[in-house]
Amino acid sequence: MTATTATTKLPLRSEVPATDCWDLSSLYETEEGWQADFDKVASQIDRFETYQGRLGESVDTLLEFLTFDLEIDRLAERLGTYAFLRTSEDQGNSDHQARKLRFQNLVMKASQAASFVRPELLAIDADKMDAFLADPKLADFKLQLERIVRYRPHTLTDREERLLAMQGEMSGAAGNAFRQLNDADLKFGDLTDEHGRTIELSHATFSQFLQSPKREVRKAAFDQYYEVFDNHRNTLAATLAGSIQRDVYYARARNYESSLEASLFPDNMPTTVYDNLISAVRDSLPAVHHYLDVRRRKMGLSDLHHYDTYVPILSDVKKHHTWDQAVEVILESLAPLGSEYVGTLESGLRGRWSDRYPNRGKQSGAFSCGSFDGDPFILMNFKEEVLNDVFTLAHEAGHSMHSWYSASHQPFQYYNYTIFVAEVASTFNEQLLTAHLLERATDDTERAYLINNELDGLRATVVRQTMFAEFEKRTHEMAEAGEPLTVASLRATYRELLDAYFGPDFVVDEALELECFRIPHFYRAFYVYKYATGLSAAVALSRRVLGGGEAELNDYLNFLRGGCSQDPLDLLKGAGVDMTQPQAVKTTLDHFADLTKQLDELI
């Protein structure tokens, strides 16, 4: 048979069938509807000024302001969600970019107009504020006000807050530059896969190439992909350094001891949770190194490179899922969560919650984007031959159902759960999917394949994300100490971590150091640790639900319904896991070690 040489190109957005795209009509049915709400918010910004200097005059005045502010926030969320989703579906569309920029400018103006609020609330006499908080009229806003009072040591004067608010758009310049370069401007060329097909190499197809059973294809994809980043290393280092310096600046301006403390403060999260995670994973790295050696041996390789770590060890096991097949197996796996959960999710995934497949200019990766007044949308770049995409869909579905439950059971001001607990809901779904697929496995080969997939998932989510978290911590500490953030220093820092996390018997290619310049999450620092802590909590909670009864299920569903009505650690304690202790992380890593032994025995 003669191999085909036809080039497979990503379709234009206009060429994608509507049934494969999300339906944003739950947000806005027309552009005119979006514009009408935009104009409404714009016309109300001056109203903030009428409350300045009056927030402490009476309970009634404060209630009136908080109700007005909530209405503006709710409209702004709706406007912003729509603008963001339209931009993410086609980064090259100038109309979408213009809409997003107009919204960002509107938010900046509103932030400036409302910059007096926190300082004025914090200037209210403590006894008077206590009396306000005890008044039943403010019951719906009591927790919101208490959380504001927490920020007293980190809130500046009215003039200083206004200056910081004016910097909002400017402070995002580094991240915006990275996203435009990474998602729209970088071109990686074409590559021939193991079947002789010429396919465009992109962020979306890179993972597909890395799962090729042919090592020369994996290596070619790795080399070609990172050559592009090497060609832009100075620009990328500058944008990353700019983002880190921004974090340090704002932390210092607001009187935090460090940028890490500043980032964890909104969740009322002690820095020990972050440090305990790194310590627990570091202590378990020998188990990770053991797994990598098992992978090398089972793949019949004399050495192991990064591009060898994504392909299934049992490459002859074929796992192909159409969209509908992926949805079906996910729904089956989530049956223990009850008919309401499964029925709602089925309606969304078989309907148009999700933007399913890659197209030219579309944002890479996957995400869930829920809002109070719209459907909890999911962006995917789904590929039928990549099993991990089924897990990604289950993961994002966890986020979306968390949004659905919290919006259905909490008022607007308490529905928007924090990322820390969000990663529990998403990885919980992955745990149930793994358990379901292992139950359905028909032989040891398939079981080994699934265990391998589970191991790779744990390594990617707990170990890899913790490495990222340590990189963020170290680079921010470098900036705080006045050390220069250059191409050389950033690469050297990342190289030290690569050597430690992959071990002495792993071949770390020099090009892999460039990975530190391409991770979008680094522009939202101290975020990725939540993946690792979230999965650790999810492992514990999934075992609790699967091994329990109605009470354990209700505990978990109440956690999903909780939104941000409690602090994250308290929400998790109510669900059945205490993340102030390292036990959940250690248990997960012990599970990793046990799975490695099982895999070694099965194949």
Side-chain angles (χ1 to χ4, degrees):
M1 180 180 293
T2 302
T4 179
T5 58
T7 301
T8 301
K9 294 288 186 181
L10 294 174
L12 297 172
R13 180 67 181 182
S14 59
E15 298 171 339
V16 180
T19 52
D20 292 336
C21 301
W22 47 33
D23 175 10
L24 302 183
S25 61
S26 63
L27 289 168
Y28 291 101
E29 294 187 3
T30 64
E31 302 294 342
E32 291 76 16
W34 186 89
Q35 184 63 48
D37 275 353
F38 182 93
D39 293 340
K40 183 177 180 180
V41 172
S43 69
Q44 292 290 308
I45 290 177
D46 289 343
R47 189 177 166 189
F48 279 101
E49 187 177 358
T50 66
Y51 291 100
Q52 190 166 1
R54 300 177 53 217
L55 298 184
E57 69 181 21
S58 70
V59 167
D60 289 337
T61 299
L62 182 55
L63 176 61
E64 181 183 302
F65 169 76
L66 292 172
T67 301
F68 158 70
D69 185 58
L70 183 148
E71 292 171 353
I72 294 297
D73 282 349
R74 184 168 170 178
L75 267 181
E77 182 197 58
R78 191 171 187 174
L79 288 165
T81 300
Y82 182 84
F84 167 70
L85 293 175
R86 293 306 304 272
T87 302
S88 64
E89 71 190 29
D90 188 354
Q91 302 267 354
N93 187 300
S94 58
D95 290 339
H96 298 341
Q97 290 289 345
R99 182 188 300 106
K100 182 180 177 182
L101 291 172
R102 288 178 62 219
F103 172 75
Q104 290 174 340
N105 185 56
L106 180 70
V107 169
M108 182 185 67
K109 290 179 179 178
S111 297
Q112 292 174 15
S115 61
F116 71 91
V117 174
R118 281 178 178 261
E120 191 167 316
L121 286 173
L122 292 173
I124 296 174
D125 178 79
D127 291 338
K128 190 174 187 179
M129 177 58 79
D130 288 342
F132 279 6
L133 292 173
D135 195 301
K137 291 181 181 179
L138 290 174
D140 290 343
F141 297 98
K142 181 179 180 181
L143 179 59
Q144 183 179 357
L145 290 169
E146 288 175 340
R147 286 173 172 167
I148 290 174
V149 171
R150 274 190 70 232
Y151 282 83
R152 190 182 299 276
H154 309 294
T155 302
L156 310 180
T157 65
D158 187 7
R159 176 177 171 80
E160 290 169 334
E161 287 293 334
R162 181 176 290 274
L163 288 172
L164 289 182
M166 290 171 63
Q167 298 171 13
E169 190 169 348
M170 180 179 64
S171 71
N176 288 334
F178 169 77
R179 284 187 291 274
Q180 288 300 310
L181 177 64
N182 192 55
D183 293 331
D185 292 344
L186 293 186
K187 305 298 178 186
F188 301 92
D190 298 334
L191 199 66
T192 303
D193 71 2
E194 65 272 16
H195 302 296
R197 300 173 300 186
T198 301
I199 299 174
E200 182 178 358
L201 179 61
S202 66
H203 297 305
T205 60
F206 182 53
S207 62
Q208 179 180 335
F209 280 114
L210 289 187
Q211 295 196 49
S212 170
K214 288 195 174 182
R215 197 184 200 196
E216 58 267 29
V217 172
R218 303 195 299 270
K219 184 179 187 304
F222 178 88
D223 292 340
Q224 186 168 315
Y225 187 72
Y226 277 106
E227 181 181 7
V228 175
F229 285 99
D230 192 31
N231 292 336
H232 295 82
R233 61 188 180 277
N234 292 300
T235 300
L236 289 163
T239 58
L240 179 57
S243 181
I244 294 169
Q245 294 289 1
R246 176 204 62 197
D247 297 337
V248 173
Y249 165 75
Y250 280 113
R252 286 175 172 168
R254 293 195 175 281
N255 304 310
Y256 291 98
E257 291 186 4
S258 67
S259 47
L260 174 61
E261 183 196 18
S263 181
L264 271 57
F265 187 84
D267 286 338
N268 200 14
M269 191 72 58
T271 57
T272 52
V273 172
Y274 198 100
D275 293 334
N276 286 342
L277 169 68
I278 294 174
S279 296
V281 173
R282 281 274 188 170
D283 289 343
S284 297
L285 285 179
V288 178
H289 302 161
H290 178 217
Y291 165 70
L292 292 171
D293 185 61
V294 170
R295 168 176 277 277
R296 179 193 62 79
R297 288 188 284 107
K298 300 304 181 181
M299 292 179 68
L301 300 174
S302 59
D303 55 21
L304 195 70
H305 294 250
H306 186 259
Y307 50 77
D308 298 318
T309 61
Y310 292 91
V311 60
I313 293 175
L314 300 172
S315 57
D316 57 329
V317 177
K318 302 299 181 184
K319 288 292 177 183
H320 182 277
H321 294 85
T322 65
W323 178 268
D324 286 337
Q325 289 170 336
V327 170
E328 184 63 30
V329 73
I330 289 170
L331 295 175
E332 290 173 355
S333 71
L334 300 179
L337 295 182
S339 59
E340 180 184 54
Y341 189 107
V342 173
T344 302
L345 181 59
E346 179 174 18
S347 177
L349 294 184
R350 296 201 188 282
R352 293 179 61 188
W353 278 7
S354 185
D355 207 83
R356 300 179 182 181
Y357 305 112
N359 60 252
R360 206 170 304 174
K362 184 175 179 179
Q363 181 169 326
S364 60
F367 63 72
S368 169
C369 183
S371 63
F372 193 75
D373 292 303
D375 292 329
F377 296 102
I378 297 172
L379 180 138
M380 289 288 297
N381 283 278
F382 187 79
K383 297 169 290 297
E384 296 182 351
E385 62 271 36
V386 179
L387 175 62
N388 188 58
D389 281 6
V390 182
F391 281 87
T392 299
L393 180 56
H395 179 103
E396 301 305 339
H399 287 309
S400 288
M401 288 305 299
H402 198 172
S403 296
W404 185 85
Y405 269 104
S406 60
S408 299
H409 292 85
Q410 296 295 330
F412 176 78
Q413 62 268 37
Y414 301 130
Y415 102 92
N416 196 12
Y417 53 83
T418 68
I419 298 299
F420 188 90
V421 296
E423 295 309 326
V424 177
S426 56
T427 52
F428 180 100
N429 279 13
E430 292 187 72
Q431 288 298 301
L432 262 60
L433 177 58
T434 296
H436 176 69
L437 292 175
L438 282 171
E439 286 179 2
R440 291 177 45 178
T442 57
D443 54 40
D444 283 349
T445 300
E446 184 175 0
R447 180 173 295 277
Y449 180 91
L450 293 168
I451 290 175
N452 175 202
N453 185 71
E454 168 75 349
L455 281 165
D456 285 341
L458 289 169
R459 187 176 65 86
T461 304
V462 178
V463 182
R464 179 174 168 82
Q465 301 302 327
T466 300
M467 184 183 77
F468 288 169
E470 188 170 355
F471 176 75
E472 291 176 338
K473 185 173 187 288
R474 291 180 61 175
T475 52
H476 281 75
E477 288 173 346
M478 289 167 62
E480 288 162 351
E483 297 178 27
L485 299 176
T486 65
V487 172
S489 66
L490 291 169
R491 289 184 66 165
T493 300
Y494 201 69
R495 178 61 186 237
E496 291 177 11
L497 295 172
L498 290 171
D499 289 339
Y501 279 75
F502 285 102
D505 299 324
F506 188 92
V507 180
V508 178
D509 295 287
E510 186 175 342
L512 189 57
E513 298 168 7
L514 299 164
E515 185 178 56
C516 70
F517 297 135
R518 76 169 186 88
I519 305 299
H521 282 316
F522 289 167
Y523 291 81
R524 190 180 179 182
F526 307 118
Y527 172 104
V528 296
Y529 89 99
K530 301 173 186 180
Y531 288 119
T533 53
L535 177 53
S536 298
V539 169
L541 290 177
S542 63
R543 292 179 176 182
R544 188 171 188 268
V545 170
L546 291 176
E550 185 175 349
E552 287 75 14
L553 174 58
N554 284 335
D555 285 344
Y556 180 70
L557 294 178
N558 283 333
F559 159 75
L560 297 183
R561 298 178 183 119
C564 63
S565 60
Q566 299 179 61
D567 287 336
L569 291 177
D570 292 331
L571 284 167
L572 287 172
K573 284 180 181 178
V577 63
D578 183 359
M579 292 305 295
T580 63
Q581 303 300 316
Q583 188 56 48
V585 178
K586 292 180 179 179
T587 297
T588 300
L589 294 168
D590 288 344
H591 176 55
F592 181 93
D594 290 341
L595 288 174
T596 299
K597 293 177 182 178
Q598 292 180 41
L599 182 66
D600 202 6
E601 294 171 356
L602 282 170
I603 56 176

Coordinates of all heavy atoms in Angstrom, one line a residue, residues 348-400:
G348 N -25.7 18.4 28.2 CA -24.7 19.4 27.8 C -23.7 18.9 26.8 O -23.4 19.6 25.8
L349 N -23.2 17.7 27.0 CA -22.2 17.2 26.1 C -22.7 16.7 24.8 O -22.1 16.7 23.8 CB -21.4 16.0 26.8 CG -20.6 16.4 28.0 CD1 -19.8 15.2 28.6 CD2 -19.6 17.5 27.7
R350 N -23.9 16.2 24.8 CA -24.6 15.8 23.5 C -25.2 17.0 22.9 O -25.5 16.9 21.7 CB -25.6 14.7 23.8 CG -25.1 13.4 24.3 CD -26.0 12.2 24.1 NE -25.6 11.0 24.7 CZ -24.6 10.2 24.3 NH1 -23.9 10.5 23.2 NH2 -24.3 9.1 25.0
G351 N -25.4 18.0 23.6 CA -25.9 19.3 23.0 C -24.7 20.1 22.6 O -23.7 19.6 22.1
R352 N -24.7 21.4 23.1 CA -23.6 22.3 22.6 C -23.0 23.1 23.7 O -22.7 24.3 23.5 CB -24.2 23.2 21.5 CG -24.6 22.4 20.2 CD -25.2 23.3 19.2 NE -24.3 24.3 18.7 CZ -24.6 25.3 17.9 NH1 -25.9 25.5 17.5 NH2 -23.7 26.2 17.6
W353 N -22.7 22.4 24.8 CA -21.9 23.1 25.8 C -20.4 23.2 25.3 O -19.7 24.1 25.7 CB -21.8 22.2 27.1 CG -23.0 22.4 28.0 CD1 -24.1 23.1 27.8 CD2 -23.1 21.8 29.3 NE1 -24.9 23.0 28.9 CE2 -24.3 22.2 29.8 CE3 -22.2 21.0 30.1 CZ2 -24.8 21.9 31.1 CZ3 -22.7 20.6 31.3 CH2 -23.9 21.1 31.9
S354 N -20.0 22.3 24.5 CA -18.6 22.1 24.1 C -18.3 22.5 22.7 O -19.0 22.3 21.8 CB -18.1 20.7 24.4 OG -16.7 20.6 24.2
D355 N -17.1 23.2 22.6 CA -16.5 23.5 21.3 C -15.5 22.4 21.0 O -14.5 22.3 21.7 CB -15.8 24.8 21.3 CG -15.8 25.5 19.9 OD1 -16.8 26.1 19.5 OD2 -14.7 25.3 19.2
R356 N -15.8 21.5 20.1 CA -15.2 20.1 20.2 C -13.8 20.0 19.6 O -12.9 19.4 20.2 CB -16.2 19.1 19.5 CG -17.5 19.1 20.2 CD -18.5 18.1 19.5 NE -19.8 18.1 20.1 CZ -20.8 17.3 19.7 NH1 -20.6 16.5 18.6 NH2 -22.0 17.4 20.3
Y357 N -13.6 20.4 18.4 CA -12.4 20.0 17.6 C -11.5 21.2 17.3 O -11.9 22.4 17.4 CB -12.8 19.4 16.3 CG -13.7 18.2 16.5 CD1 -15.1 18.3 16.1 CD2 -13.3 17.0 17.1 CE1 -15.9 17.2 16.3 CE2 -14.2 16.0 17.3 CZ -15.5 16.0 16.9 OH -16.3 15.0 17.1
P358 N -10.2 21.0 17.0 CA -9.3 22.1 16.6 C -9.7 22.8 15.4 O -10.3 22.2 14.4 CB -8.0 21.4 16.4 CG -8.1 20.0 17.0 CD -9.5 19.6 16.9
N359 N -9.5 24.1 15.3 CA -9.6 24.8 14.1 C -8.5 25.9 14.1 O -7.8 26.2 15.1 CB -10.9 25.5 13.9 CG -11.3 26.5 15.0 OD1 -12.2 26.2 15.8 ND2 -10.7 27.6 15.0
R360 N -8.2 26.4 12.9 CA -7.1 27.4 12.8 C -7.4 28.6 13.7 O -8.5 29.2 13.6 CB -6.9 27.8 11.3 CG -5.5 28.3 11.0 CD -5.3 28.4 9.5 NE -5.7 27.2 8.8 CZ -5.7 27.1 7.5 NH1 -5.5 28.2 6.7 NH2 -6.0 25.9 6.9
G361 N -6.4 29.0 14.5 CA -6.5 30.1 15.3 C -7.2 29.9 16.7 O -7.2 30.8 17.5
K362 N -7.6 28.7 16.9 CA -8.3 28.4 18.2 C -7.3 28.2 19.3 O -6.2 27.8 19.1 CB -9.1 27.0 18.0 CG -9.9 26.6 19.2 CD -10.8 25.4 18.9 CE -11.6 24.9 20.1 NZ -12.4 23.7 19.8
Q363 N -7.7 28.6 20.5 CA -6.8 28.5 21.6 C -6.5 27.0 21.9 O -7.3 26.2 21.7 CB -7.5 29.1 22.9 CG -6.6 29.0 24.1 CD -7.2 29.8 25.3 OE1 -7.8 30.9 25.1 NE2 -7.0 29.3 26.5
S364 N -5.2 26.8 22.2 CA -4.8 25.4 22.4 C -5.3 24.9 23.7 O -5.8 25.6 24.6 CB -3.2 25.4 22.4 OG -2.7 26.2 23.4
G365 N -5.2 23.6 23.9 CA -5.5 22.9 25.2 C -7.0 22.8 25.4 O -7.8 22.6 24.4
A366 N -7.4 22.9 26.6 CA -8.8 22.7 27.0 C -9.1 23.5 28.2 O -8.2 23.7 29.0 CB -9.1 21.2 27.2
F367 N -10.4 23.9 28.4 CA -10.8 24.6 29.6 C -12.3 24.5 29.7 O -13.0 24.2 28.8 CB -10.3 26.0 29.7 CG -10.9 26.9 28.6 CD1 -12.2 27.3 28.6 CD2 -10.1 27.4 27.6 CE1 -12.8 28.2 27.6 CE2 -10.6 28.2 26.6 CZ -12.0 28.6 26.6
S368 N -12.8 24.7 31.0 CA -14.2 24.9 31.2 C -14.4 26.3 31.7 O -13.5 26.9 32.4 CB -14.7 24.0 32.4 OG -16.0 24.3 32.8
C369 N -15.4 27.0 31.2 CA -15.7 28.4 31.5 C -17.2 28.5 31.9 O -18.0 28.7 31.0 CB -15.3 29.3 30.3 SG -15.5 31.0 30.7
G370 N -17.5 28.4 33.1 CA -18.8 28.6 33.6 C -19.1 30.0 34.1 O -18.2 30.7 34.5
S371 N -20.4 30.4 34.0 CA -20.8 31.7 34.5 C -22.2 31.5 35.1 O -22.9 30.5 34.8 CB -20.8 32.7 33.4 OG -21.7 32.4 32.4
F372 N -22.6 32.5 35.9 CA -23.8 32.4 36.6 C -25.0 32.4 35.7 O -26.0 31.7 35.9 CB -23.9 33.6 37.6 CG -25.0 33.4 38.6 CD1 -24.9 32.5 39.7 CD2 -26.2 34.1 38.5 CE1 -25.9 32.3 40.6 CE2 -27.2 33.9 39.5 CZ -27.0 33.1 40.5
D373 N -25.0 33.1 34.6 CA -26.1 33.3 33.7 C -26.0 32.5 32.4 O -26.9 32.7 31.6 CB -26.3 34.8 33.4 CG -26.8 35.5 34.6 OD1 -27.8 35.2 35.2 OD2 -26.0 36.5 35.0
G374 N -25.0 31.7 32.2 CA -24.9 31.0 31.0 C -24.5 29.5 31.2 O -24.3 29.1 32.4
D375 N -24.5 28.7 30.2 CA -24.1 27.3 30.3 C -22.6 27.2 30.7 O -21.8 28.1 30.4 CB -24.3 26.6 29.0 CG -25.8 26.4 28.6 OD1 -26.6 26.3 29.6 OD2 -26.1 26.4 27.4
P376 N -22.2 26.2 31.4 CA -20.8 26.0 31.7 C -20.0 25.4 30.6 O -19.9 24.2 30.4 CB -20.9 25.0 32.9 CG -22.2 24.2 32.7 CD -23.1 25.1 32.0
F377 N -19.5 26.2 29.7 CA -18.9 25.8 28.4 C -17.6 25.1 28.6 O -16.9 25.3 29.6 CB -18.8 27.1 27.5 CG -20.1 27.7 27.2 CD1 -20.5 28.9 27.8 CD2 -20.9 27.1 26.2 CE1 -21.7 29.4 27.5 CE2 -22.2 27.7 25.9 CZ -22.6 28.9 26.5
I378 N -17.3 24.3 27.6 CA -16.0 23.5 27.5 C -15.4 23.7 26.2 O -16.0 23.5 25.2 CB -16.3 22.0 27.7 CG1 -16.9 21.8 29.1 CG2 -15.0 21.2 27.6 CD1 -17.4 20.3 29.3
L379 N -14.1 24.2 26.2 CA -13.3 24.2 25.0 C -12.5 23.0 25.0 O -11.8 22.6 25.9 CB -12.4 25.5 25.0 CG -11.5 25.6 23.7 CD1 -11.5 27.0 23.2 CD2 -10.1 25.1 24.0
M380 N -12.6 22.3 23.9 CA -11.7 21.1 23.6 C -11.0 21.2 22.3 O -11.4 22.0 21.4 CB -12.6 19.8 23.6 CG -13.2 19.4 24.9 SD -12.0 18.7 26.1 CE -11.4 17.2 25.2
N381 N -9.9 20.5 22.2 CA -9.3 20.2 20.9 C -9.2 18.7 20.7 O -8.2 18.1 20.6 CB -7.9 20.9 20.8 CG -8.0 22.4 20.6 OD1 -8.1 22.8 19.5 ND2 -7.9 23.1 21.7
F382 N -10.4 18.1 20.6 CA -10.6 16.6 20.8 C -10.0 15.9 19.6 O -10.3 16.3 18.4 CB -12.1 16.3 20.9 CG -12.3 14.8 21.2 CD1 -12.2 14.4 22.5 CD2 -12.7 14.0 20.2 CE1 -12.4 13.0 22.8 CE2 -13.0 12.6 20.5 CZ -12.8 12.2 21.8
K383 N -9.2 14.9 19.9 CA -8.7 14.0 18.8 C -9.1 12.6 19.2 O -8.8 12.1 20.3 CB -7.1 14.2 18.8 CG -6.7 15.6 18.4 CD -5.2 15.8 18.6 CE -4.9 15.8 20.0 NZ -5.5 17.0 20.8
E384 N -9.7 11.9 18.2 CA -10.3 10.6 18.5 C -9.3 9.5 18.8 O -9.6 8.6 19.5 CB -11.1 10.1 17.2 CG -12.3 11.0 17.0 CD -13.1 10.6 15.8 OE1 -12.6 9.7 15.1 OE2 -14.2 11.1 15.5
E385 N -8.0 9.6 18.3 CA -7.0 8.6 18.6 C -6.2 8.8 19.8 O -5.3 8.0 20.1 CB -6.1 8.5 17.4 CG -5.3 9.8 17.1 CD -6.0 10.7 16.2 OE1 -7.2 10.9 16.2 OE2 -5.3 11.4 15.4
V386 N -6.5 9.9 20.6 CA -5.7 10.2 21.8 C -6.6 9.9 23.0 O -7.6 10.6 23.3 CB -5.3 11.7 21.8 CG1 -4.5 12.0 23.1 CG2 -4.4 11.9 20.6
L387 N -6.3 8.8 23.8 CA -7.1 8.4 24.9 C -7.1 9.5 26.0 O -8.1 9.7 26.6 CB -6.5 7.1 25.5 CG -7.2 6.7 26.8 CD1 -8.7 6.3 26.6 CD2 -6.5 5.4 27.4
N388 N -6.0 10.2 26.1 CA -6.0 11.3 27.1 C -7.0 12.4 26.9 O -7.5 13.0 27.8 CB -4.6 12.0 27.1 CG -4.4 12.9 28.2 OD1 -4.5 12.5 29.4 ND2 -4.1 14.2 27.9
D389 N -7.5 12.5 25.6 CA -8.5 13.5 25.4 C -9.9 13.1 26.0 O -10.7 13.9 26.3 CB -8.7 13.7 23.9 CG -7.6 14.7 23.3 OD1 -6.7 15.0 24.1 OD2 -7.6 15.0 22.1
V390 N -10.1 11.8 26.1 CA -11.3 11.3 26.8 C -11.2 11.7 28.3 O -12.2 12.2 28.9 CB -11.5 9.8 26.7 CG1 -12.7 9.3 27.4 CG2 -11.5 9.4 25.2
F391 N -10.0 11.5 28.9 CA -9.8 12.0 30.3 C -9.9 13.5 30.4 O -10.4 14.0 31.4 CB -8.5 11.4 30.8 CG -8.5 10.0 31.1 CD1 -8.3 9.0 30.2 CD2 -8.8 9.6 32.4 CE1 -8.3 7.7 30.5 CE2 -8.8 8.2 32.8 CZ -8.6 7.3 31.8
T392 N -9.4 14.2 29.4 CA -9.5 15.6 29.4 C -11.0 16.1 29.4 O -11.3 17.0 30.1 CB -8.7 16.3 28.3 OG1 -7.4 15.9 28.3 CG2 -8.9 17.8 28.2
L393 N -11.8 15.4 28.6 CA -13.2 15.8 28.5 C -13.9 15.5 29.9 O -14.7 16.3 30.4 CB -13.9 15.0 27.4 CG -15.4 15.3 27.2 CD1 -15.6 16.8 27.0 CD2 -15.9 14.5 26.0
A394 N -13.5 14.4 30.5 CA -14.1 14.0 31.8 C -13.7 15.1 32.8 O -14.4 15.5 33.7 CB -13.7 12.6 32.2
H395 N -12.4 15.5 32.7 CA -11.8 16.5 33.6 C -12.6 17.8 33.5 O -13.1 18.4 34.5 CB -10.4 16.7 33.3 CG -9.7 17.7 34.1 ND1 -8.8 17.4 35.1 CD2 -9.6 19.1 34.0 CE1 -8.3 18.5 35.6 NE2 -8.8 19.6 35.0
E396 N -12.7 18.3 32.3 CA -13.4 19.6 32.1 C -14.9 19.5 32.4 O -15.5 20.5 32.9 CB -13.2 20.1 30.6 CG -11.8 20.3 30.2 CD -11.0 21.2 31.1 OE1 -11.6 22.0 31.8 OE2 -9.8 21.1 31.1
A397 N -15.5 18.3 32.2 CA -16.9 18.1 32.6 C -17.0 18.2 34.1 O -18.1 18.7 34.6 CB -17.4 16.7 32.1
G398 N -16.0 17.8 34.9 CA -16.1 18.0 36.3 C -16.1 19.5 36.7 O -16.9 19.9 37.6
H399 N -15.3 20.3 36.0 CA -15.4 21.7 36.3 C -16.8 22.3 35.9 O -17.4 23.0 36.7 CB -14.4 22.5 35.4 CG -13.0 22.3 35.8 ND1 -12.5 22.5 37.1 CD2 -11.9 22.0 35.1 CE1 -11.2 22.3 37.1 NE2 -10.8 22.0 35.9
S400 N -17.3 21.9 34.8 CA -18.6 22.4 34.3 C -19.7 22.0 35.2 O -20.6 22.8 35.5 CB -18.9 21.9 32.9 OG -18.0 22.6 32.0

